[in-house]
Amino acid sequence: MANILKAPRGTMDVLPDKIDKWTYIEYTARETANLFGFKEIRFPTFESIDLFRRGVGETTDVVQKEMFTFTHGNSNFALRPEGTASTVRLVLSNGLYNDPMPLKLFYITSCFRGERPQAGRLREFHQFGVELFGTAEPSADAEIILLAKTMFNNLGIKGLRLEINSIGCPNCRKDYQNALREYFTSKQDGLCDTCKSRLERNPMRILDCKSPECQKIAEAAPKVTDYICDDCRTHFEAVQNQLKNLNVDFIVNTSIVRGLDYYTRTVFEFIDEKRGLTLCGGGRYDGLVSQLGGPELPALGFAMGLERLIMTMDEQGCSYETEQNKTVYFATIGDAASKKAAELALKLRTEGISAEYDLVGRSMKAQMKYANRKGFAFTVAIGDNELNSNTAELKNMQTGETIPVTLDDKIIEAIDNAIVKETMKELEETIEKDKIFNS
Ligand code: ATP
Ligand code: MG
């Protein structure tokens, strides 16, 4: 029997001490997407299995080996392995293609793939994805890449390598597929079984195979950039020029084809060289919308893996700024004091100041110890004396400083002032630190 006390293989709990990392990254993703005019969407955790078969591609690893599928009644479903097919389905189901173009959407969501779990590779993982519909212009490709780069900058991640490629369009791809098929057929014996089966239907997939033997053979394969048509070549050159204009460094890597079938023309990856991890992958998918039954609507996007962002941020010592400090703790003795604390805490919360008090019935000493361990900024101790005089001491837990406060509405202003004073002090310290750092 499965051990019910262990999270399933390849999944992860997030505990309160790590949640700040997640909320910070999610917050930064929303802010960055908003700066570029993208609006958030949410879609179901599972969809018809056919959506992914057709949307992601029958010959991809994701569809062939990695989907979590289930049947309910007469319907076959799959947990979403990625967000693009779901986004296109959402656009089509809701007629968003009638909106003014370009249509700019983003999501922050979990994805499910039955891969072999290892560092940076989970079975449930999370993506920040953006999708831009309704433009075939090369400036849109550059904009999407710039958005990904801005996200990395905003998180403080440094030194990623941006690799771009063009994999052409269905017109020029035929020639390339033929050239690849010819090449790989001559080396057939060395390929893994999956790649042998791909030879006929989609030889380009072999370039993306993770098996070292297949990768070795792929090294000398024909290069896509030698086969793309004039239109695709002009487009690719324009994307590169625009990236140069925007001071975005990149290298062209003709072996990137990306793991999903829907891509056309520009594809790209942001790679953490030190860890050999791809943090972000994306590209154009001009044919996908019509392929799923919609109008001709060129589109493009990217997805980044949040777990991989955290791994890189941890390694680079990036900070996760948060503003969720615990503010006031009321330590109490006796029922009357506890009742008073409940009233005052409610007043403070109504004003947007976080406040807590003892819910366990512990001694004053134990309550103060708790407040200390939990990192409250201020404490107010209330016993009989305080109730009688209607005053108490507001204690700054870092400095030990105390100021008198009254146990009524006026406490709100006193605490507000104390918070402002504390914030100003922190700000001055940061400015001072920056001065030292910059000098
Ligand atoms: P890889 O080549 O690493 O398998 P992929 O091509 O399958 O990546 P995409 O489908 O393009 O990746 O997904 C975009 C991003 O989502 C990846 O760059 C990565 O950051 C993240 N990602 C993909 N699969 C996983 C996974 N199993 N666990 C954690 N993150 C993942
Ligand atoms: Mg993969």
Side-chain angles (χ1 to χ4, degrees), residues 61-62 66 113 115 121 208 210 259 308:
D61 273 352
V62 170
E66 299 172 0
R113 296 185 191 175
E115 305 193 65
R121 198 172 288 288
D208 199 48
K210 302 265 186 316
R308 294 191 191 177

Side-chain angles (χ1 to χ4, degrees), residues 113 115 120-122 125 127 210 258 278-279 303 305 308:
R113 296 185 191 175
E115 305 193 65
R121 198 172 288 288
L122 290 130
F125 61 101
Q127 285 188 341
K210 302 265 186 316
R258 311 283 314 119
T278 300
L279 298 192
R308 294 191 191 177

